[in-house]
Amino acid sequence: YGANIGNEVSPLRPMQAYSAMFPSFYQAEEQPIALNMTWEGKDDNAGYWATEEKNLVAGFEKRVRPEMDRGTHFSVFALAPIPLLVKLGTLLTDKTPCLVHQLQREPAQSWAWTNADIDTHYILSEPDKDDHRPPALIVALSASIAYSRIHEALGHEAAIWQLTIDAPHNDFLKTELQLSRFREAVRKLMVRIAERHGQATRLSIFPAIPVATAVEMGRVRMPKADMPWVLYDHNNKTCAF
């Protein structure tokens, strides 16, 4: 799945994907299922989000849903703005057998996970227990997000939670274990926030995260149990969420 990120066109190449799958998996068909569409829409345009979401859902229901019903295993390669990647994850759910890949830029561009012994400790910061303002969640893995940016978007009426790592940077995610630990952290975090603020309360989410974690964040969402989510996206043109 690919969608324009600002002025960038997603560089998704089937041969890179097939190489990353091997030797654990191989493609069932000669061509991959491609959900991206070609158009001139940019994420600062008024109709971009509705158009991309509608196209993603329609393509998913037509091409992916029948394979899900057959129990097919999916290798997922996606480059798009984070809210759309989360939406893709919610469509897949965590009940579908999947391996979500992350584009590695160093030492050479590849979608393959490494076998290195790398784990990551995810750090949770909570607001005061007596802070009953509406919750906002920062997920800062690729870069740090200043609290002032949340206040710019929401005002000061927000109880800010944060999930981060020791040194956020855009190439930290190298192993499947790191991704698994992220899923565990998000599941526990959503329960904790709901317990404090109530399941019917809207949760505003401000992410700076790798693409694979965005998809997995959507996959672990429990539609009947989790709070309503409102996802904010950093816009390069306005330099704001």
Side-chain angles (χ1 to χ4, degrees):
Y1 171 59
N4 293 343
I5 306 173
N7 292 321
E8 297 182 25
V9 178
S10 297
L12 293 164
R13 299 179 179 88
M15 291 308 299
Q16 282 190 333
Y18 299 155
S19 176
M21 293 164 60
F22 185 82
S24 299
F25 301 99
Y26 62 92
Q27 69 272 23
E29 304 290 343
E30 184 175 350
Q31 295 298 322
I33 296 173
L35 299 180
N36 45 302
M37 67 176 179
T38 302
W39 70 306
E40 297 302 317
K42 299 292 189 296
D43 58 9
D44 59 334
N45 293 344
Y48 174 86
W49 298 100
T51 300
E52 281 288 351
E53 181 181 18
K54 181 180 178 180
N55 175 73
L56 169 58
V57 172
F60 189 95
E61 293 300 324
K62 181 179 180 180
R63 303 197 61 194
V64 180
R65 183 74 63 188
E67 296 296 334
M68 284 176 61
D69 293 342
R70 297 185 188 102
T72 299
H73 177 279
F74 292 92
S75 294
V76 180
F77 302 84
L79 280 175
I82 291 171
L84 293 170
L85 296 175
V86 175
K87 179 66 178 183
L88 173 62
T90 65
L91 295 171
L92 285 165
T93 78
D94 64 354
K95 297 178 178 63
T96 301
C98 280
L99 178 57
V100 181
H101 288 259
Q102 172 68 30
L103 180 63
Q104 308 293 332
R105 303 187 185 278
E106 299 294 342
Q109 191 178 94
S110 168
W111 288 90
W113 291 111
T114 71
N115 294 319
D117 185 16
I118 302 173
D119 198 357
T120 297
H121 175 58
Y122 294 94
I123 304 166
L124 173 63
S125 299
E126 302 184 15
D128 293 335
K129 290 184 178 180
D130 58 354
D131 191 341
H132 300 295
R133 293 175 296 175
L137 171 62
I138 294 172
V139 190
L141 307 180
S142 299
S144 299
I145 298 176
Y147 282 25
S148 60
R149 299 188 62 202
I150 312 308
H151 298 317
E152 289 173 4
L154 300 179
H156 288 273
E157 289 303 311
I160 299 178
W161 298 68
Q162 179 171 249
L163 185 67
T164 188
I165 57 178
D166 288 328
H169 63 96
N170 62 7
D171 204 29
F172 91 93
L173 189 61
K174 297 291 186 183
T175 71
E176 293 179 55
L177 178 60
Q178 290 174 293
L179 194 58
S180 175
R181 294 279 191 260
F182 174 76
R183 288 194 297 268
E184 294 174 4
V186 171
R187 287 189 183 101
K188 293 176 182 177
L189 174 59
M190 292 304 162
V191 171
R192 197 166 180 84
I193 297 176
E195 287 175 346
R196 287 272 297 274
H197 298 275
Q199 286 183 319
T201 304
R202 186 176 76 171
L203 176 62
S204 300
I205 302 176
F206 296 82
I209 57 179
V211 294
T213 55
V215 176
E216 292 290 18
M217 190 168 184
R219 289 187 70 217
V220 302
R221 173 171 168 73
M222 305 296 290
K224 294 183 179 180
D226 284 338
M227 311 164 74
W229 290 3
V230 178
L231 282 106
Y232 285 77
D233 188 62
H234 171 78
N235 185 272
N236 289 329
K237 194 170 185 179
T238 62
C239 295
F241 281 107

